[in-house]
Each structure stands twice: as structure tokens, then as C-alpha cells.
Amino acid sequence: MTEAIRVNGQRLWDSIMAMAEIGPGEFGGSRRLALTDEDREGRDLFVRWCEEIGCGIEIDDMGNIFARRAGRDDSLPPVVAGSHLDTQPHGGKFDGIYGVLAALEAVRSLHDYDVTTEAPVEIVVWTNEEGSRFAPAMIASGVYAGLFDKEYAWSRTDSDGKTLGEELRRIGYMGESPCGEHAIGALLEAHIEQGPILEAEQRQIGVVVGGQGVRWYDVHLRGLDSHAGSTPMPGRRDALVACAEIISAVRALALEFAPDAVSTVGKMSVMPNSRNTIPGEVFFTVDLRHPDDEVLAKLDRQFRARTAALLDGQGVEGEIEEIWNNPAVQFDAQCIAAVEQATRALGYSNRQIVSGAGHDACQVCRVAPASMIFVPCAGGLSHNEAESAEPEDLEAGCNVLLQAMISLANRPSI
Ligand SMILES: [Zn+2]
């Protein structure tokens, strides 16, 4: 009976720890930026592990890796599970890696118990999810979903001017098959929550029903550089003071739409950045998110209107450029049901949840049925080397993943 199969939690933990030794971070986490030598080493280890249990490997021309375990009817579209192996510069051991290695552990368990599913099952590694070396994030799953052109993706550069395409080729992961053509019958992505909700409510599993909408803006403010000593306070055209007021307004705006709205100014540069010159120019970014696209549109209008009102009379000109508008996503009902049923059958405490972060599944769900499984992480902390998760929660999420994969791969209608 496939319902009785359980994953090996110790082997899952050991694999996560072994992967973390590749590109170890300074503070106990991981530094494995996309398409670096460390990323290649992590990929090589993953491929070796998959080959050890007899999986066939296919790599597409965005470097996405699909490791396949044949089904009884191998012509059926596969049930795919996975995530990403790249990390932030000061990344943790679990973000992304857990989803890949939980999928590997699920397939290893099928192998141990000699279970053949009706449809094939596959483990996927998506390239450059983090976007910290090559922006934007989730670019390879985005190409898969038709959201980005491949040429655009290949031409993205890192801070040294190296392109994503060159680096893919250099590390030997520019595959043959065209990205987007590999069939996916259903996609499941297990991930740490990267937020505090499951931990606070002491629930082991988040049944993820969708992802919130995101809007990214580049904002340029132009005032006038002038002498800090001899320019009187009235009449100054201080772009940084205007920026500070906008930052406060952006924060207030999200608080007005609590608890679901979030807003962040995470990047800023000040020109000329000199202590005795009034800053004449400021560049900063704004990130607005909400699970409901209509509310997000309202936030967008308010952000623009309040910025214009704040700048009025300050002698500072502002320009807001929207650089990304990623609508909220709703995951597939059948995939959500498979996760929910598996969670219930296994007896894990759970709740439905909306993903606060972007994930590869949020891209792929636009072209294939997909959903996600969240497990708690300590303090909700992620994108930080101190990121941590409990072995028993990781094991629980992996058991849910395994059972959901089996039920989707054996469903008659796939
Ligand atoms: Zn991630």
C-alpha cells in the first residue's frame, strides 16, 4: 500500500547538510550564487544522487534539470517536484534546497519501496531563482512559462558583465532541449515558509493556495546639489529629504491595508553622496505586494498620488517607473486538494496559506497545474545565513510531498 510509505527523514536532513557544504557561507549558511562554480558543484552532486537511483537526466537550454523516474505509462506527462539550488549571497541552507532535496527524498523512497507510479515522476532544479546574481528572479521558470524571452534571459548580466548564457555554457549546464517544451502534468514545490505564520500558530504544514501579486518600481528624484553650509533651509531642493518622506508614506500605505499589504524600500543610492552637499539626486526602489490584484491596483494608485503630493512645492522632480507587475496567482485546485488530502491522511496540523514570496511554482502555474507545500522556519527568517528549520517539520513536508506526488501520478485523469 503506497499510503504506508514514509520518507527517510534522516537521509533528507543529511542530504541538506551535505549540499550546504558546497559554497559554505561565512556565518553558517550558504553562498551558492547562480551559475558559479559552487552552483555547478551543487548541480553535479544532485545529478549524481539522481543517477544513483536510476533517474534519467534532461537539461534544457536554460539549465533547468529534470531527473526522471519512469512511470508504468511513460507517455503520460510527469508529476514534477522541485525548487532551486542557488542561494542569496548570505543565504540559508533551506530556501529552495529543501524543495529539491525533499523531491529527491520522495523519489528515493519510491525507489526503496520499489513503487512504480502510473505517470512518471520527476525532480526539477530551476536555474537562477534568487535573481541576486542575474536579475530578474525566477527567470528560468519564467522562460518556461513564457513570461520572458530566452534571448532576454541569456543576455542578463551580473555585476562583472558576464551574461547568464555564457555562464550557463561555462559551467556545462546549457542543455539541448528548448526550455518550455518539457511536459509537466503537475508541479509541486515544497519550501520553507519564509514567514512567521506556521510557527506562531504551531502548525506543521501550510497548504499553499496561491501567491500574492507584486509590483516593483524604480523611483528617481531630482532636486539640486548645493552647499550644505551656505544654502539656507528655505528653498533647498533636497532629494533625500523628499525620499525619506516617500519612504514613510509607502510604509503608512501598507499599514492602512493591514494585515495583507506589505511595502518595502530596499535599495537606495544618493548622489553625490557627500556629507557637505545637499543631495540633488536619489534613486530608490519600491516593492508593493498584496494577495488581491484589485487592492494592489489601489495601492499602486495611492503610492503614485501620495508621492506626487509629497513632492509638490519641494522643488524636487520625481519619476516612477514600474519595472515589474506580477499579478497574484491562484494555484490549481487538484494540486491543492492532493496536498490537503495527504496532509490530513498523515495527521499533520495545517492551514491554508498564501505565499508572501515569489517562487518558481508561481511562474509555472500559469502554464501547468501547480501548488506548494510550506513548512515552518525558525522566526520566519529567510534570506539570512541563520535560516533554520526543524528536521521533523522538514520530514513532515516531505511525507506530504511524497503522498501528493503518488496520488497525482496515479490519478486516472492525468
Ligand atoms: Zn526559494
Side-chain angles (χ1 to χ4, degrees), residues 51 131 139 183 229 255 317 395:
E51 285 174 343
I139 197 165
L255 290 172
E317 277 169 31
E395 181 179 342

Side-chain angles (χ1 to χ4, degrees), residues 83-84 86 94-97 129-130 189 191-192 194 358-360 382-383:
S83 188
H84 59 96
D86 67 322
F94 302 95
D95 173 3
I97 296 102
E129 192 274 347
E130 294 291 358
E189 181 171 359
H191 209 284
I192 55 167
Q194 304 182 289
H359 294 288
D360 294 308
S382 184
H383 285 195

Side-chain angles (χ1 to χ4, degrees), residues 58-319:
E58 184 188 313
I59 300 166
D60 72 19
D61 57 9
M62 278 301 298
N64 300 316
I65 308 170
F66 297 90
R68 181 182 183 96
R69 186 169 196 272
R72 236 185 309 272
D73 181 350
D74 222 33
S75 67
L76 292 171
V79 171
V80 182
S83 188
H84 59 96
L85 288 176
D86 67 322
T87 75
Q88 289 284 321
H90 291 171
K93 299 188 189 83
F94 302 95
D95 173 3
I97 296 102
Y98 170 59
V100 172
L101 299 181
L104 172 67
E105 177 51 40
V107 175
R108 280 173 166 170
S109 300
L110 294 175
H111 185 74
D112 290 345
Y113 289 90
D114 202 17
V115 172
T116 305
T117 49
E118 198 58 34
V121 291
E122 294 186 348
I123 311 157
V124 65
V125 174
W126 299 105
T127 297
N128 190 58
E129 192 274 347
E130 294 291 358
S132 53
R133 183 174 179 205
F134 300 100
M138 299 173 284
I139 197 165
S141 52
V143 170
Y144 182 91
L147 301 169
F148 302 121
D149 284 340
K150 210 180 297 176
E151 286 68 25
Y152 166 80
W154 283 335
S155 70
R156 298 300 86 206
T157 53
D158 69 2
S159 52
D160 295 331
K162 292 179 182 151
T163 69
L164 185 147
E166 280 161 21
E167 287 294 275
L168 253 184
R169 212 166 274 128
R170 185 186 69 81
I171 68 160
Y173 276 89
M174 167 81 80
E176 302 272 288
S177 62
C179 179
E181 288 188 9
H182 188 96
I184 293 181
L187 176 78
L188 294 173
E189 181 171 359
H191 209 284
I192 55 167
E193 182 198 341
Q194 304 182 289
I197 297 170
L198 294 176
E199 187 185 55
E201 295 184 1
Q202 297 190 323
R203 295 181 209 249
Q204 264 190 309
I205 300 293
V207 177
V208 190
V209 295
Q212 59 186 347
V214 185
R215 295 205 190 199
W216 277 3
Y217 308 88
D218 280 354
V219 186
H220 291 270
L221 300 181
R222 284 180 196 86
L224 185 69
D225 293 2
S226 55
H227 198 290
S230 51
T231 314
M233 293 307 284
R236 287 182 174 213
R237 297 170 60 191
D238 189 327
L240 185 54
V241 166
C243 172
E245 290 174 3
I246 296 168
I247 292 173
S248 294
V250 163
R251 174 182 148 80
L253 180 60
L255 290 172
E256 282 168 37
F257 290 83
D260 289 334
V262 285
S263 66
T264 307
V265 173
K267 188 173 177 179
M268 176 167 46
S269 47
V270 180
M271 273 78 66
N273 209 23
S274 163
R275 83 171 64 225
N276 54 355
T277 299
I278 296 164
E281 211 176 319
V282 174
F283 163 81
F284 64 101
T285 60
V286 174
D287 174 317
L288 297 179
R289 304 187 193 211
H290 197 280
D292 181 334
D293 282 329
E294 274 179 38
V295 181
L296 190 56
K298 207 178 282 177
L299 289 166
D300 168 81
R301 287 194 296 274
Q302 283 291 323
F303 161 55
R304 291 172 189 276
R306 291 181 196 189
T307 299
L310 282 169
L311 292 177
D312 194 33
Q314 295 212 36
V316 176
E317 277 169 31
E319 190 191 317

